[in-house]
């Protein structure tokens, strides 16, 4: 099977079939990543399109490793979304107390988890409870199965910071889940 | 790597893993989310849109330099005669001053007026009378940023031409002025004020785009003037003092370089804020 | 070119311009009718992507607007209700300027439009010295420039005399094949001569959408 990098070089040459191949490979995974990241399917679809447009209009040297690169673009678009006026209009805005970050989704009240019906919605609610920096590391690790070194490249954060975000994110996620289970038992 | 807990914690230090405790419940909980699957129709639409951006697609045919020239020429039609005349007036003013008192006064006038010319020019080009036209421009194949930068390039090029002619005069009249220093000290404020005018015009309107840089420049001139007047007690004329600091002051050079960068940054920011972009609608 | 609108709403402060509008457009010519302030201009501006709706979605050829404004805008000709062109420009300069922006390579298009709309004699006269009707005709000419597949014409015949209207309709008929033309008007004879389909808006709501001959059955008292 042709590698992503080879397909991308053909896309840069104007090959429609290669573009269809890349879309086939990445449309679903990127949509899932961005939906989980933002909690908004419609915004995620827009960002997936923007991600592909960015790689199509990129005039620089083709990347050595395509997969981390396209996720880096998608992740940056998600970051821009959190910084955008549209996002601020829809939700309130808090600085990240852990890292001094300037972007994160407003934490969802943990009580609301129990109100969600399907598992998918429950997971989404839990993910939205986490600061965006921690959420992205968990998503890239667990669902996209990137190594921490690759996540460090994608997010532009040092490896130690990535580890710290993963650690704090998992601890927080576990705590929320346990609180939820206790709440349901009672 | 199939173990869901490993998928969560792989790469963490042993102490961190231990501190996290049993993550089985969390890992299995996260596994229940299969994510949003894209619809086939959605993928087809995505491909239709993306094909326009493929290299070689007629929809995004890259503009050749001849097309840029054609675009610039078409833009120049929009500028009223008064715009060109104002620039020429400044040039004439410079010429006449050089005849009266070429050695001292010309650099002063040049430094003070040239950036203003650029800032006012930018605000003028984006005046409200072209609003209907602005809407029609948005409904064309030419992007808003392309238009803005072409228009800006025209204003800057015209001002640059006038300024270069004045620079030549100064150099001919006063060989004690170091030309590259003077150019940089002129270019810094001009780019910064142009950038500010451009950004303010795009972000708010052309009135703010004119007032903001004019006000800022006015304050700087007043501050500089009071300093020059203080020096006058030491027997220096303002123009002589200005020539002196242009020739010797490194902080001024650094300041001008920084102003250049700020100006370029504001120009880039304005391009991203340009109206009519897809972001501004969606 | 097909357009679809679902649950479109738009307000300006406390004034509601469009309320929950649902419409489907196929290629053809459609008249947009309704009293002043009924939301015609807002609807046309939303369709042209010049006004952002508060709620609702728009699609063209099945693709949401927000995803592909670039393509939509490159295929759209628009006549604004109010025309305020720079007074120093001439009709020819305006058309040539917009032609450059639309990447039109055919050199004869500007001359054809000027001639078809009877503007040849005033083509090089500045807008400051033109009549309201001549300015409107230039506005119409620029909308047809580039043979767009979507034409949105607000107050198409406002301020035009009988002869000028005939020229406009002749041009529109020639250009209508395969295109979607939506035009607003207050003049019933315009509708009768130009199209058989109409949409009627009242206080921001669609109260009729269908054949003009059925209009008086649905809205008693509405006559052409």
């Amino acid at each position: 099977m042709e590698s992503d990098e080879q397909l991308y070089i053909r896309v840069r040459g104007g090959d429609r079939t290669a573009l269809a191949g890349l879309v086939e490979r990445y449309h679903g995974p990127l949509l899932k990543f961005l939906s989980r990241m933002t909690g908004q399917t419609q915004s995620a679809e827009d960002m997936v399109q923007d991600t592909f447009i960015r790689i199509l209009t990129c005039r620089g040297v083709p990347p050595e490793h395509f997969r981390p690169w396209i996720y880096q673009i998608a992740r940056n678009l998600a970051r821009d979304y959190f910084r955008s006026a549209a996002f601020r209009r829809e939700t309130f805005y808090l600085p990240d107390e852990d890292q001094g970050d300037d972007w994160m989704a407003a934490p969802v009240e943990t009580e609301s988890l129990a109100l969600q019906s399907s598992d998918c919605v429950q997971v989404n609610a839990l993910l939205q409870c986490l600061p965006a920096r921690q959420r992205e590391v968990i998503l890239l690790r667990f669902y996209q199965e990137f190594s921490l070194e690759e996540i460090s490249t994608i997010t532009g954060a040092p490896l130690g910071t990535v580890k710290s975000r993963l650690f704090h994110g998992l601890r927080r996620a576990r705590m929320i889940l346990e609180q939820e289970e206790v709440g349901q038992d009672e | 790597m199939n173990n869901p807990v490993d998928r969560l914690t792989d790469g963490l230090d042993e102490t961190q893993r231990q501190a996290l405790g049993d993550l089985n419940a969390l890992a299995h909980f996260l596994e229940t989310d299969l994510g949003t699957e894209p619809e086939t129709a959605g993928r087809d639409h995505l491909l239709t849109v993306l094909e326009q951006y493929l290299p070689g697609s007629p929809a995004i045919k890259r503009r050749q330099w001849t097309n840029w020239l054609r675009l610039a020429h078409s833009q120049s039609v929009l500028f009223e005669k008064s715009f060109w005349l104002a620039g020429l007036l400044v040039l004439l003013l410079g010429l006449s001053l050089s005849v009266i008192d070429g050695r001292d006064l010309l650099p002063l006038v040049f430094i003070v007026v040239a950036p203003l010319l650029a800032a006012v020019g930018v605000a003028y080009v984006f005046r409200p009378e072209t609003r209907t036209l602005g809407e029609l421009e948005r409904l064309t194949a030419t992007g808003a940023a392309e238009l803005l930068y072409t228009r800006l390039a025209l204003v800057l090029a015209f001002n640059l031409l006038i300024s270069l002619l004045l620079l030549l005069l100064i150099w001919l009249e006063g060989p004690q002025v170091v030309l590259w220093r003077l150019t940089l000290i002129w270019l810094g404020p001009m780019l910064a004020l142009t950038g500010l005018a451009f950004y303010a015009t795009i972000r708010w309107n052309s009135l703010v785009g004119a007032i903001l840089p004019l006000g800022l420049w006015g304050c700087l001139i007043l501050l500089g003037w009071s300093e020059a007047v203080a020096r006058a007690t030491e027997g220096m004329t303002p123009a002589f003092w200005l020539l002196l600091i242009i020739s010797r002051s490194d902080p001024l050079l650094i300041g001008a370089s920084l102003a250049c960068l700020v100006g370029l940054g504001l120009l880039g920011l304005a391009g991203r804020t340009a109206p009519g972009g897809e972001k501004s609608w969606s | 070119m097909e357009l679809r609108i679902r649950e479109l709403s738009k307000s300006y402060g406390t004034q509601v311009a469009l309320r929950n509008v649902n419409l489907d457009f196929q290629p053809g010519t459609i008249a947009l009718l309704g009293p002043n302030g009924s939301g015609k201009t807002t609807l046309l501006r939303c369709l042209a992507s010049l006004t952002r709706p508060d709620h609702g979605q728009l699609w063209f050829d099945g693709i949401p607007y927000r995803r592909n404004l670039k393509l939509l805008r490159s295929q759209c000709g628009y006549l604004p209700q109010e025309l305020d062109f720079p007074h120093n420009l001439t009709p020819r300069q305006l058309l040539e300027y917009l032609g450059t922006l639309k990447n039109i390579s055919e050199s004869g298009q500007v001359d054809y439009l000027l001639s078809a709309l009877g503007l040849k004699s005033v083509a090089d006269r500045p807008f400051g010295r033109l009549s309201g009707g001549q300015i409107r005709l230039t506005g119409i000419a620029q909308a047809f420039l580039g043979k767009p597949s979507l034409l949105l014409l607000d107050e198409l015949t406002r301020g035009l005399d009988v002869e000028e209207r005939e020229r406009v309709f002749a041009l529109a008929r020639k250009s209508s094949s395969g295109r979607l033309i939506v035009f607003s008007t207050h003049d019933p004879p315009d509708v009768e001569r130009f199209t058989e389909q109409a949409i009627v808006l009242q206080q921001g709501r669609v109260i009729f959408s269908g054949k003009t001959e059925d209009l008086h059955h649905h809205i008693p008292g509405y006559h052409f």
Side-chain angles (χ1 to χ4, degrees):
Chain A
M1 193 171 70
E2 211 167 356
S3 70
D4 292 344
E5 290 77 15
Q6 287 168 323
L7 272 183
Y8 180 58
I9 286 169
R10 278 173 52 201
V11 167
R12 294 272 290 252
D15 188 332
R16 286 174 185 223
T17 323
L19 175 66
L22 274 186
V23 169
E24 181 71 34
R25 283 184 199 179
Y26 281 97
H27 186 198
L30 283 176
L31 184 62
K32 287 178 186 179
F33 170 65
L34 289 164
S35 300
R36 287 174 178 133
M37 197 61 212
T38 60
Q40 300 281 331
T41 309
Q42 192 170 300
S43 303
E45 280 173 352
D46 293 348
M47 280 182 249
V48 171
Q49 181 175 305
D50 285 348
T51 305
F52 279 109
I53 290 174
R54 294 264 173 111
I55 68 158
L56 286 172
T57 51
C58 172
R59 299 277 163 245
V61 180
E64 205 175 326
H65 302 290
F66 181 82
R67 189 165 172 264
W69 180 61
I70 196 170
Y71 274 92
Q72 187 178 22
I73 293 169
R75 175 259 178 203
N76 288 343
L77 285 169
R79 182 195 57 190
D80 293 346
Y81 167 77
F82 286 122
R83 285 174 175 167
S84 71
F87 172 70
R88 284 179 209 178
R89 271 202 302 273
E90 286 160 16
T91 179
F92 66 96
Y93 186 75
L94 292 171
D96 188 329
E97 68 280 14
D98 288 347
Q99 305 290 340
D101 292 341
D102 56 355
W103 64 288
M104 72 173 273
V108 177
E109 293 297 323
T110 47
E111 288 87 336
S112 65
L113 256 73
L115 301 174
Q116 316 285 350
S117 53
S118 72
D119 286 340
C120 175
V121 177
Q122 277 192 340
V123 172
N124 187 34
L126 181 138
L127 289 170
Q128 300 311 313
C129 292
L130 305 174
R133 298 264 192 209
Q134 293 172 10
R135 182 164 65 244
E136 71 177 358
V137 175
I138 293 177
L139 294 179
L140 291 168
R141 180 77 281 277
F142 187 73
Y143 292 107
Q144 266 56 48
E145 298 193 38
F146 281 108
S147 69
L148 295 192
E149 287 77 9
E150 286 173 319
I151 296 173
S152 166
T153 310
I154 291 168
T155 59
L159 184 60
T161 308
V162 171
K163 281 185 184 178
S164 163
R165 285 176 188 167
L166 181 60
F167 174 74
H168 287 292
L170 290 176
R171 197 169 61 173
R172 192 181 286 211
R174 191 189 149 179
M175 199 172 67
I176 294 167
L177 191 65
E178 280 170 0
Q179 278 175 355
E180 181 61 20
E181 280 166 355
V182 170
Q184 280 176 348
D185 290 345
E186 284 170 358
Chain B
M1 190 184 301
N2 290 324
N3 184 337
V5 176
D6 285 348
R7 266 165 57 199
L8 274 178
T9 58
D10 188 59
L12 288 181
D13 303 333
E14 198 49 43
T15 48
Q16 287 176 319
R17 282 176 187 242
Q18 282 174 5
L20 283 169
D22 182 9
L23 289 177
N24 266 304
L26 177 65
H28 286 113
F29 179 69
L30 291 176
E31 261 199 328
T32 58
D33 177 22
L34 301 175
T36 314
E37 280 296 339
E39 294 167 9
T40 315
R43 185 163 296 176
D44 291 345
H45 289 152
L46 178 64
L47 261 175
T48 309
V49 174
L50 294 179
E51 279 172 2
Q52 297 168 59
Y53 292 87
L54 263 180
S57 157
I60 58 144
K61 201 161 53 183
R62 279 179 80 86
R63 206 173 273 284
Q64 302 290 319
W65 69 271
T66 46
N67 289 11
W68 279 111
L69 282 181
R70 196 171 161 228
L71 188 62
H73 176 254
S74 74
Q75 291 285 311
S76 68
V77 174
L78 297 182
F79 297 5
E80 283 180 37
K81 278 186 194 123
S82 55
F83 170 80
W84 307 112
L85 287 176
L88 290 175
L89 201 69
V90 172
L91 184 62
L92 281 176
L93 185 73
L95 280 171
S96 55
L97 280 172
S98 88
V99 172
I100 299 164
D101 189 6
R103 290 178 66 85
D104 285 355
L105 215 52
L106 189 58
L108 184 69
V109 171
F110 171 72
I111 293 278
V112 169
V113 172
L116 280 186
L117 192 68
V120 174
V122 168
Y124 164 80
V125 167
F126 299 100
R127 65 200 183 283
E129 292 94 87
T130 52
R131 202 163 286 164
T132 305
L133 199 55
E135 285 195 344
L136 298 178
E137 285 167 352
R138 280 160 72 179
L139 298 175
T140 65
T142 305
E146 275 178 290
L147 271 179
L148 291 177
Y149 285 124
T150 311
R151 213 166 278 181
L152 187 72
L154 267 179
V155 177
L156 282 178
F158 181 58
N159 288 316
L160 198 66
L161 186 73
I162 290 174
S163 304
L164 284 175
L165 286 170
L166 286 173
L167 267 176
L168 195 68
L169 274 177
I170 292 167
W171 185 65
L172 289 171
E173 291 284 345
Q176 74 274 33
V177 177
V178 184
L179 200 59
W180 71 268
R181 279 178 165 257
L182 182 61
T183 311
L184 190 63
I185 286 166
W186 157 76
L187 200 63
M190 197 184 89
L191 269 180
L193 289 189
T194 304
L196 186 62
F198 191 41
Y199 179 74
T201 303
I202 301 301
R203 183 81 177 75
W204 297 288
N205 56 55
S206 61
L207 187 67
V208 182
I211 289 173
L212 209 61
L214 285 179
L216 183 70
W217 193 238
C219 290
L220 288 173
I221 296 289
L222 280 178
L223 285 172
W225 198 260
S226 61
E227 179 72 10
V229 168
R231 299 286 175 171
T233 56
E234 299 166 16
M236 281 190 223
T237 64
F240 182 75
W241 173 75
L242 190 75
L243 283 177
L244 203 68
I245 58 166
I246 287 171
S247 303
R248 294 186 186 164
S249 172
D250 287 337
L252 200 65
L253 269 189
I254 295 166
S257 308
L258 285 175
C260 272
L261 293 176
V262 168
L264 289 173
L266 281 168
L267 292 177
L269 198 62
R272 290 176 65 181
T273 320
E278 305 197 357
K279 293 273 182 293
S280 68
W281 193 84
S282 55
Chain C
M1 169 70 73
E2 292 175 10
L3 296 181
R4 181 150 56 107
I5 303 175
R6 288 293 174 269
E7 296 172 12
L8 195 74
S9 298
K10 176 71 189 176
S11 299
Y12 298 101
T14 54
Q15 196 185 346
V16 181
L18 291 174
R19 298 165 200 259
N20 209 23
V21 171
N22 293 288
L23 285 167
D24 288 283
F25 296 94
Q26 305 288 331
T29 304
I30 297 150
L32 197 56
L33 307 167
N36 282 332
S38 57
K40 299 188 298 293
T41 295
T42 305
L43 180 59
L44 287 171
R45 288 182 63 81
C46 285
L47 288 172
S49 80
L50 291 171
T51 292
R52 190 175 68 176
D54 299 331
H55 300 286
Q57 278 266 43
L58 296 104
W59 291 263
F60 77 97
D61 291 340
I63 303 172
Y65 263 39
R66 66 172 191 288
R67 298 264 191 84
N68 205 5
L69 282 188
K70 197 173 176 177
L71 184 64
L72 170 90
R73 288 175 173 174
S74 67
Q75 294 185 4
C76 179
Y78 174 66
L79 169 70
Q81 187 181 45
E82 303 295 337
L83 294 170
D84 184 19
F85 296 127
H87 285 192
N88 60 313
L89 280 191
T90 67
R92 187 187 299 281
Q93 283 175 327
L94 179 88
L95 295 181
E96 282 174 353
Y97 171 64
L98 290 172
T100 307
L101 266 52
K102 289 183 176 190
N103 289 337
I104 293 167
S105 48
E106 293 169 55
S107 56
Q109 248 196 76
V110 169
D111 279 325
Y112 166 74
L113 287 168
L114 286 170
S115 166
L117 292 169
L119 290 168
K120 269 254 150 135
S121 59
V122 294
D124 298 308
R125 199 180 290 173
F127 281 110
R129 289 169 48 208
L130 294 187
S131 69
Q134 288 164 333
I135 293 173
R136 191 120 209 106
L137 286 171
T138 313
I140 293 166
Q142 65 75 31
F144 280 85
L145 200 61
K147 300 174 184 169
S149 51
L150 171 65
L151 272 156
L152 302 164
L153 309 165
D154 201 355
E155 301 275 354
L156 176 60
T157 53
R158 189 168 79 170
L160 300 185
D161 61 31
V162 179
E163 200 182 320
E164 287 168 337
R165 280 170 197 234
E166 280 310 319
R167 282 191 217 125
V168 170
F169 287 125
L171 174 70
R173 272 190 217 101
K174 265 188 202 169
S175 323
S176 63
S177 174
R179 290 182 183 178
L180 171 58
I181 303 178
V182 186
F183 71 100
S184 75
T185 181
H186 284 287
D187 218 346
D190 285 354
V191 184
E192 284 180 324
R193 268 185 297 176
F194 193 31
T195 180
E196 292 175 348
Q197 292 183 78
I199 290 166
V200 183
L201 288 175
Q202 195 169 50
Q203 293 181 328
R205 292 183 201 279
V206 176
I207 58 167
F208 175 82
S209 174
K211 287 199 174 283
T212 49
E213 61 193 33
D214 299 332
L215 193 50
H216 65 278
H217 296 305
H218 286 78
I219 311 170
Y222 210 109
H223 295 290
F224 288 110

